[in-house]
Structures are given as structure tokens and as C-alpha cells.
Amino acid sequence: MAEALTDDLVEEILLRLAPDDPVSLVRAAAVCMRWRRVASTRSFRRGFARRHRKAPMLGFIANLRDGHEGDRYDYVARFVRATRFRPFCPERRHRRALDARHGRVLLTTVPWKPTLEVWDPVTGELRELPSMPQTVTSWNAAVVCAAHGACDHLDCRRGPFLVVLLDSGPEMMHLFVYSSETGAWSEPIFGPPSPTYGVEMVPTALVGNALYFLIDATESILKYDLAARSVSVIFMPTGFTSDFAALTTTEDGVLGFAKLEKSTVEDGGLLGSSRVKCELRLLSMHPGPDGYVTWAENGSIELGSLLNVDASIESDYVAFAHGVGIFFVGTEDAWFSIDLKSGRVMEEDYGNGDTQSIVPYSSFYTPGSFS
Amino acid sequence: MEVDKGKGEAEETRKVAEADRDTVTLKSSDGKLFEVSKEAAARLSTVLAGMIAGGSIDDNGTDLKQIGSEALENVVDYCNKHANSIPSAALISSSISFNTAPFKEPEEWERKFVDRLSHDALFDLVEAANFLGMERLLDVTCHKISEMMKGKSPDQIREVFNIKNDYTKEELEEIRQELAWAFYDD
């Protein structure tokens, strides 16, 4: 019987619980002390992540404006569940989520002087970063495990991390790197001249050792190489115009972007009526000679029929969950997640308030994080 | 097709084993003999592969003192079924360490194979698979057991798995408080 199973066999069984069902692992750990001990070792955490490879999207952070009637101006970063997992403190008031990676969420205080915080929703750990090294204007920031290149990112949430801050000025773009090991910001790394339209405050993409930031009203992308500490600029496709784009990545490490495009089409009615068609267009970047890149169209998805909504889809925001390949788009009164692989579409309930943007959060959950 | 040898067929099985080198004969802790495809046994079990390669296979029945006849019958049944099924690319490609290999979903026949087992038989089979170093069978049986836990409360899991609760009331309450999302619907 199960009582007689060795620790090794209990581990083998618990390793096979589905990562998108964190309830089962928690309940297994509550069965008896031995099971909890087995499930909370470092080797179990690593084995679990290694076995399932792809961290599930536990939820996403909705950046909301919330408040009482007539006072809807409080900024809130609210954790919205995609699984049963709920962080100890799911709502961070006067905060906005900028980015999430390797189990950590990067928050900034809003609307006053920005202070950055790194939050791990699974362990509940919150770390406030020292003041930014300069007064920022149009800026964005990213969080990443510090052992880039060497780490498999299966269980590095307790390890050192970096925060990369990109500010559009003065005159030249400035990058600063905060290291959790030294607890300090680096000297500035200078980039190209300040872009006309500044830096987009949308989640970055990590491909290999490079972090990509959207800049200049989504006309170009800034690439920061973490290993070489070098900065370069990549231009979006010629003639590209869009209200908004989201950076994407594929499983085999190709950078891309997604944008929403609206067009008016005849709907074939007798009276010559027309309707607005809203498409999610996907492009991917491929390196060419002399450092130039080419962009390839990877198809498009018509959202009107997929979401089964009228053409009230907002074209100024798309979010993408790296690793799991899930897109988020919003209409005037709802947000939808679209899983490209399975074709599953879900209306997301983020509670009260107006969602401004979404930062997906993917991570393994194992009971090693019990207090 | 059912390969169901070994129930009171000891004599006959032994003769077949001696005559036909394509099979090996295994002996359970309670003395029953089972015949299994040598190729499948060597491919599916690292322990049996080692014994076959090392020449320590006994034609009169290789003693497997740790495994009862019901579990051994299931092991043999699994091997023979496996020998007859078309191996998928997923099953033959894995040479990486078991604990770290990404999980491959059980095939339809493997699912059926474990679904028909009682809880006791399943747990005995897990132990047998582990003892014999049968990675794939261990994978399939552990997966089945993990599925049995889905949607159950800790109390229900303890009941199904016959496990004694050694937490104090206070400790359990603390876990429930801290991780309420895993215990209460909302």
C-alpha cells in the first residue's frame, strides 16, 4: 500500500502532478509530514520543473485604475488567477506591473516618483530597489535572472537577479543595471540618441542573452545584450504603422511582434454594408547580412469571429505570455485570453476597475514555499 | 490477445522456456513461474537487461524474491503487450536519465492496462517496476496514481492511499490558513 512506498516512489508520483493544477501538490503536501518533506526539497522543485519543462501561466497582473464611484484614479496591480493559485497579497495598490520573468514581477510605484520593487507572488517575497540613478522621463524596465546564459531558469527564483532600466534621455538613451548581489545600480550604459517618441512602457522580451524593448511609438526595438553590455537598435518593418505592438518569442528563440489591425470590409450584404474587421497579425524577425534584420509574416487571426464579439476590440493594447504562447486582447468591457496552440479563448474576470494593461505571470508552483 | 501464463502452468512454462531461447522465466516470491519475451524484458527493464547480459538468468526460473505473483504477472503482461505494440518514437528515444526526462503521455493501451488494476495491485506494480528498473512502466503507473489524487481533499487522499495523518490539528489549520486557495472554493 501507499504507506509503504519509499520516499523515492512518493517523489516519482508527486513529480507527475500537473503543473497547472497547483492545488493537487499543496493537498498532497498536507496529507502527511513525509509527503510534505518529499515535495519541498530543492531536488523536487528542480525535478518538477525539469520534468514539465514549461512553466504554466499561474495568472496575470492587471494594471487597473480602481476606486470608489467618481474616484477611479487609484492605480492597482492586481493578480488575476489563471489557475487556483492565489498569492498571499494579490493586490498591490499604487503600483503598476512592468514586466515578469523567472518567477519575479517587476513593479513600479505610481503615479508619483517611481520606485521599483521586485515581487515573487509564489514566495511572497518583496524587495524594494534603491532610488533610480537619475530622474527618469520616458522609461521602461525589465527583470531577469542574473545568471543569464548559465542558468536553466528551472528554479532560480531565490537566486540573484538583475533589473535593467531604460530611460530615453537626456539626449542619449541611458541604461542602468541593478544587481541584487551588489544591491546597487551600475554606471550608465549609453545608447543611441533619444528617440522622438520615447520608450514604450510595455513588457520586454528575452531571447538568448538579449533583452528587447519597444521604443519610439513602436517604430523600433532597442536590443540590450546582457553579456556584452551593448546596445543596438532594430527597425520594425518598413511602412509599419500600428497603434500598438507586443513583443513575442517562439519556443525556438525567435523574436517577433504582434499587432492589432483594423480594416473596413464589405460584408457582402445586398445594401453594400460594411463592417470593421480586426486582425491580430504576427511577424517574426530573422537576422540578415550586415546586422540587418528581415521580418516575416506568420499569419493573422481574425478576432471578431474568434472572440464572438462585435468589432469593439481595442486596438491599442495586446499582451503576450512568453513560453506559453497566450495573447490577451481587450474590448470595451472585457479582456480575453487566446491560446494560439489549443485555440482556447477565455473571457478573463479581473474584478472591478478599468484594465490599462496586462503582464502575464508564468511560474512553477511547488510547496517548497510553505513558511 | 492475452498472455496469461504462470497460473499453475509451471511445468509447461519451463519446457517452453528451455526450448525457446527467445523468452526468460521469472519466479515470483511465492514460487510461481512466468515467461516473458527476452527482447522486451531487456528493453524495458534495466535490471533484467543486466541479468540477461551477465548470464545470471536461471532457465528454471530466475528468483525475484521481492515481487509477488500478482505484481509479476502484471509486469510480464505489460512486457508482452509492449513487445506486441508498435513502439512510438517517444518510447524508444529516451536515453536520458529517467528523473529528468520530460513526461510522455501514456499511450491508450497503457492507460487501459493500469486502469483495470485495483489500488493494491497498482501500488505493488509501482514497486515492482521500480525494483526492476522499468522506467516506462514506472512512468505509466506513477502517472496513474498522480491522477487518482486530482480533485481530492487531503482526507480523501489519505483514505484512498491508506495513509495516517501525522500532522497536529494546529499544523493542518496553519496550512489551510496560509494556502486557503488550495482548500476552499471561492
Side-chain angles (χ1 to χ4, degrees):
Chain A
M1 277 312 280
E3 199 150 46
L5 293 176
T6 60
D7 285 3
D8 284 352
L9 280 178
V10 171
E11 179 167 339
E12 289 291 349
I13 291 163
L14 300 186
L15 279 174
R16 283 165 180 81
L17 290 168
D20 60 357
D21 174 30
V23 166
S24 290
L25 251 180
V26 172
R27 289 183 178 182
V31 163
C32 64
M33 289 194 202
R34 187 162 75 95
W35 282 29
R36 173 170 174 173
R37 199 178 59 237
V38 167
S40 52
T41 62
R42 179 156 197 266
S43 99
F44 182 82
R45 286 202 304 271
R46 289 194 60 80
F48 190 72
R50 216 180 275 171
R51 167 161 286 274
H52 299 285
R53 294 276 163 95
K54 199 182 289 174
M57 187 174 75
L58 291 180
F60 58 89
I61 324 290
N63 289 317
L64 298 154
R65 301 296 291 274
D66 196 6
H68 301 293
E69 205 61 40
D71 172 32
R72 300 175 70 83
Y73 294 103
D74 267 4
Y75 287 87
V76 181
R78 180 181 297 153
F79 188 95
V80 182
R81 306 196 278 183
T83 63
R84 286 278 299 274
F85 166 74
R86 180 203 288 274
F88 182 65
C89 176
E91 211 166 90
R92 303 270 161 186
R93 294 199 83 76
H94 310 295
R95 301 286 187 280
R96 173 188 170 138
L98 299 171
D99 194 34
R101 193 173 289 105
H102 307 145
R104 305 171 182 94
V105 177
L106 182 62
L107 300 166
T108 177
T109 51
V110 267
W112 304 287
K113 188 171 174 264
T115 300
L116 296 176
E117 292 170 347
V118 171
W119 174 40
D120 183 334
V122 165
T123 63
E125 208 180 311
L126 183 75
R127 184 156 168 173
E128 189 183 315
L129 270 55
S131 304
M132 289 186 181
Q134 68 179 29
T135 307
V136 289
T137 49
S138 175
W139 63 282
N140 193 17
V143 62
V144 60
C145 159
H148 49 89
C151 183
D152 55 15
H153 306 307
L154 294 178
D155 181 40
C156 60
R157 64 177 354 121
R158 289 164 184 81
F161 64 85
L162 303 175
V163 172
V164 179
L165 170 68
L166 171 66
D167 185 30
S168 68
E171 291 177 28
M172 297 172 90
M173 299 190 88
H174 286 57
L175 274 115
F176 300 88
V177 181
Y178 168 84
S179 154
S180 68
E181 281 172 301
T182 63
W185 290 98
S186 71
E187 291 300 309
I189 300 155
F190 296 103
S194 301
T196 317
Y197 303 108
V199 173
E200 305 296 303
M201 198 181 260
V202 297
T204 58
L206 177 73
V207 179
N209 272 338
L211 269 175
Y212 295 87
F213 294 80
L214 265 177
I215 58 171
D216 216 2
T218 73
E219 275 178 13
S220 46
I221 295 170
L222 181 132
K223 174 183 176 182
Y224 174 63
D225 189 312
L226 291 157
R229 301 187 180 196
S230 61
V231 185
S232 53
V233 171
I234 297 161
F235 292 99
M236 302 293 246
T238 328
F240 169 78
T241 52
S242 177
D243 289 345
F244 193 83
L247 293 169
T248 63
T249 47
T250 62
E251 269 172 59
D252 37 357
V254 176
L255 180 76
F257 69 89
K259 63 167 181 164
L260 282 171
E261 210 168 73
K262 281 186 176 172
S263 55
T264 309
V265 291
E266 304 289 321
D267 67 0
L270 286 172
L271 300 171
S273 54
S274 60
R275 63 186 176 87
V276 177
K277 187 172 140 188
C278 186
E279 280 182 311
L280 182 66
R281 288 179 62 195
L282 309 172
L283 290 96
S284 61
M285 186 187 86
H286 302 278
D290 307 325
Y292 286 98
V293 301
T294 55
W295 293 96
E297 286 260 7
N298 295 334
S300 63
I301 300 148
E302 219 222 292
L303 293 176
S305 48
L306 183 68
L307 304 183
N308 200 19
V309 292
D310 297 329
S312 60
I313 296 159
E314 307 274 358
S315 59
D316 61 353
Y317 197 81
V318 195
F320 179 72
H322 300 277
V324 289
I326 294 173
F327 283 97
F328 290 86
V329 293
T331 66
E332 273 161 20
D333 42 28
W335 277 82
F336 294 90
S337 62
I338 305 165
D339 186 331
L340 281 195
K341 240 179 218 165
S342 67
R344 193 170 75 153
V345 176
M346 275 173 67
E347 187 173 337
E348 299 291 349
D349 179 10
Y350 52 79
N352 296 328
D354 297 328
T355 313
Q356 317 265 299
S357 63
I358 275 171
V359 177
Y361 179 73
S362 296
S363 169
F364 286 107
Y365 181 91
T366 58
S369 43
F370 282 14
S371 65
Chain B
M1 193 211 71
E2 277 298 308
V3 180
D4 193 14
K5 296 188 170 130
K7 281 182 180 165
E9 295 177 322
E11 278 304 313
E12 195 188 326
T13 307
R14 193 176 307 164
K15 274 179 212 151
V16 174
E18 279 161 7
D20 183 0
R21 294 281 169 86
D22 288 345
T23 59
V24 289
T25 309
L26 306 173
K27 193 180 193 177
S28 67
S29 59
D30 44 346
K32 284 193 180 161
L33 296 175
F34 298 88
E35 189 195 341
V36 63
S37 146
K38 189 188 269 182
E39 182 278 325
R43 179 160 51 87
L44 297 168
S45 157
T46 53
V47 170
L48 292 178
M51 289 169 102
I52 291 166
S56 53
I57 287 288
D58 185 344
D59 281 348
N60 296 320
T62 303
D63 266 332
L64 297 173
K65 287 207 167 65
Q66 290 79 356
I67 304 177
S69 56
E70 197 193 353
L72 191 55
E73 188 182 346
N74 283 323
V75 165
V76 166
D77 198 7
Y78 177 82
C79 288
N80 288 332
K81 276 202 168 74
H82 211 287
N84 293 327
S85 79
I86 303 156
S88 75
L91 298 182
I92 45 181
S93 67
S94 98
S95 58
I96 13 175
S97 153
F98 180 59
N99 205 356
T100 60
F103 175 67
K104 305 279 191 322
E105 283 289 312
E107 308 218 343
E108 186 55 30
W109 71 268
E110 289 176 315
R111 207 176 275 278
K112 280 187 187 151
F113 180 83
V114 288
D115 278 352
R116 69 187 170 87
L117 300 174
S118 71
H119 289 171
D120 281 356
L122 186 60
F123 287 118
D124 287 345
L125 187 55
V126 167
E127 288 183 338
N130 187 47
F131 175 76
L132 291 170
M134 298 180 69
E135 297 182 355
R136 180 60 190 175
L137 182 56
L138 189 62
D139 212 357
V140 172
T141 46
C142 286
H143 182 251
K144 170 68 187 171
I145 296 172
S146 77
E147 276 185 338
M148 283 159 50
M149 294 163 65
K150 204 176 169 181
K152 290 196 169 69
S153 69
D155 269 341
Q156 289 167 322
I157 298 174
R158 280 183 214 114
E159 201 183 313
V160 171
F161 289 62
N162 193 24
I163 293 171
K164 224 173 89 190
N165 175 23
D166 55 358
Y167 280 115
T168 64
K169 222 175 169 181
E170 290 73 26
E171 283 169 330
L172 271 184
E173 196 44 44
E174 208 182 306
I175 297 173
R176 282 173 171 279
Q177 291 282 326
E178 196 180 327
L179 300 162
W181 55 267
F183 297 97
Y184 307 104
D185 290 327
D186 55 2

